[in-house]
Amino acid sequence: MSKFEATGRTLDEAIETALVSLGIRRDNADIEVLNEPNQGLLGIIGNKDARVIVKMKLEPAQYLQSYLQELLQYMNVEGSVVVGEDDEKLEAEVSGSDVGSLIGRRGKTLSDLQYLLNVIMRRQFAGLNKMIFLDVENYRSRREKTLTQLAKNVARKVIQEGREQALEPMSPQERRIIHLALHDLPDITTYSDGEEPYRKVVIAPS
Amino acid sequence: MKQLLEHIAKGLVDEPDQVEVKQVESERLIVLELKVAPDDMGKVIGKQGRIAKAIRTVMNAAAIKENKRVVVEIVQ
């Protein structure tokens, strides 16, 4: 568990130093006072600094799990949250029978909620250098399969007809999936055209 | 709805104790007024309103479940 020991002229100063070092907020901190500060005689002799140990109550993965679980409750969504973690990312997976409203039209709610979670987690843990990924009932992996299939079908048609074709507007993540799916095909190039949020991938013969 | 917006706002700001949400509700419409500490205004709005937009998307998703429309106003 992450903790930090700090000293300061006042208790607040010591606590603040420890919070900044851990990169967390006071409400996610357990504070143990080791020494009360002591203004010695005439403020000269026997001055003693405050000394505290501050512990992180919830590590990032736990915090994300409980934050998201509480969010579902306020949204009246019955679902459970599991968070996985590795060196680069935190992955939150929501499952349940009633979680469709978290996905939204073409995954819009899902990607906006993922964005919010990234901002919130960075605010709560200043030193956090991991991306936060959110998935609901495997929507992203299912969507990735669909998009890859779509890309290949359209690419085949483009090669046959020798004419470029634009797909429907997609988010940057979705466009990336298309580019990657066709990356290895020698007869095809892909590029994006238009302005967000209407930017689309164009598949063209090379 | 009120609790949901409070939960999101508290995650974003530096001073969660100063987050206040007022809810006015009619048959089809919910209006939520979000108030935060002056220094936290930018934290709930974001560059080019990106955070505020994302908040509204999530609030809308919750409102649709209740068959309502929701308006989020960020007030001073």
Side-chain angles (χ1 to χ4, degrees), chain A residues 148-176:
Chain A
T148 305
Q149 197 53 53
L150 172 83
K152 290 190 172 145
N153 289 344
V154 175
R156 205 170 304 132
K157 211 174 135 203
V158 167
I159 294 172
Q160 272 170 15
E161 298 178 358
R163 222 165 3 128
E164 65 175 41
Q165 192 177 333
L167 304 178
E168 60 184 46
M170 287 173 197
S171 69
Q173 297 89 320
E174 295 192 336
R175 293 199 306 270
R176 188 169 162 267

Side-chain angles (χ1 to χ4, degrees), chain A residues 25 67 76 98 112 123-124, chain B residues 7 11-13 43 57 65:
Chain A
R25 308 287 177 84
Y67 186 88
N76 277 323
D98 167 42
D112 276 16
R123 300 252 164 100
Q124 299 299 327
Chain B
H7 185 57
L12 289 165
V13 299
K43 299 224 150 89
T57 306
K65 281 195 75 146

Side-chain angles (χ1 to χ4, degrees), chain A residues 38-50:
Chain A
N38 194 342
Q39 284 287 302
L41 200 60
L42 302 169
I44 309 169
I45 316 152
N47 274 1
K48 233 168 64 183
D49 277 352

Side-chain angles (χ1 to χ4, degrees), chain A:
Chain A
M1 183 185 261
S2 317
K3 57 181 174 178
F4 193 87
E5 191 175 324
T7 57
R9 270 180 303 136
T10 63
L11 265 185
D12 271 341
E13 208 180 278
I15 292 168
E16 192 56 34
T17 305
L19 290 177
V20 169
S21 304
L22 290 169
I24 56 170
R25 308 287 177 84
R26 206 166 181 139
D27 43 7
N28 189 27
D30 271 330
I31 296 163
E32 186 190 336
V33 177
L34 299 178
N35 271 336
E36 294 275 357
N38 194 342
Q39 284 287 302
L41 200 60
L42 302 169
I44 309 169
I45 316 152
N47 274 1
K48 233 168 64 183
D49 277 352
R51 179 179 289 272
V52 296
I53 291 188
V54 173
K55 285 186 189 137
M56 212 183 262
K57 266 191 211 159
L58 296 177
E59 301 282 332
Q62 297 168 302
Y63 188 96
L64 179 61
Q65 200 280 336
S66 90
Y67 186 88
L68 200 49
Q69 193 73 64
E70 202 176 330
L71 189 114
L72 294 191
Q73 184 195 324
Y74 294 139
M75 286 184 86
N76 277 323
V77 167
E78 281 193 38
S80 57
V81 181
V82 177
V83 174
E85 181 173 23
D86 63 24
D87 292 342
E88 289 158 13
K89 58 189 184 298
L90 290 168
E91 278 178 306
E93 170 75 44
V94 178
S95 51
S97 53
D98 167 42
V99 292
S101 63
L102 288 176
I103 298 173
R105 198 164 165 266
R106 280 210 217 113
K108 166 93 169 121
T109 307
L110 181 60
S111 61
D112 276 16
L113 185 54
Q114 175 177 289
Y115 170 69
L116 273 183
L117 291 173
N118 272 283
V119 177
I120 289 168
M121 289 299 289
R122 262 165 199 74
R123 300 252 164 100
Q124 299 299 327
F125 299 91
L128 188 70
N129 53 5
K130 296 179 183 181
M131 285 285 292
I132 316 293
F133 290 97
L134 175 65
D135 202 355
V136 172
E137 282 290 321
N138 291 318
Y139 174 81
R140 282 191 199 283
S141 45
R142 280 186 287 132
R143 179 81 178 146
E144 189 172 336
K145 268 192 205 137
T146 311
L147 288 174
T148 305
Q149 197 53 53
L150 172 83
K152 290 190 172 145
N153 289 344
V154 175
R156 205 170 304 132
K157 211 174 135 203
V158 167
I159 294 172
Q160 272 170 15
E161 298 178 358
R163 222 165 3 128
E164 65 175 41
Q165 192 177 333
L167 304 178
E168 60 184 46
M170 287 173 197
S171 69
Q173 297 89 320
E174 295 192 336
R175 293 199 306 270
R176 188 169 162 267
I177 292 169
I178 304 277
H179 291 307
L180 284 176
L182 302 180
H183 178 72
D184 290 334
L185 289 184
D187 304 335
I188 287 289
T189 52
T190 60
Y191 61 92
S192 294
D193 187 33
E195 292 297 315
E196 302 282 4
Y198 303 109
R199 203 163 159 78
K200 32 180 114 163
V201 176
V202 179
I203 301 176
S206 52

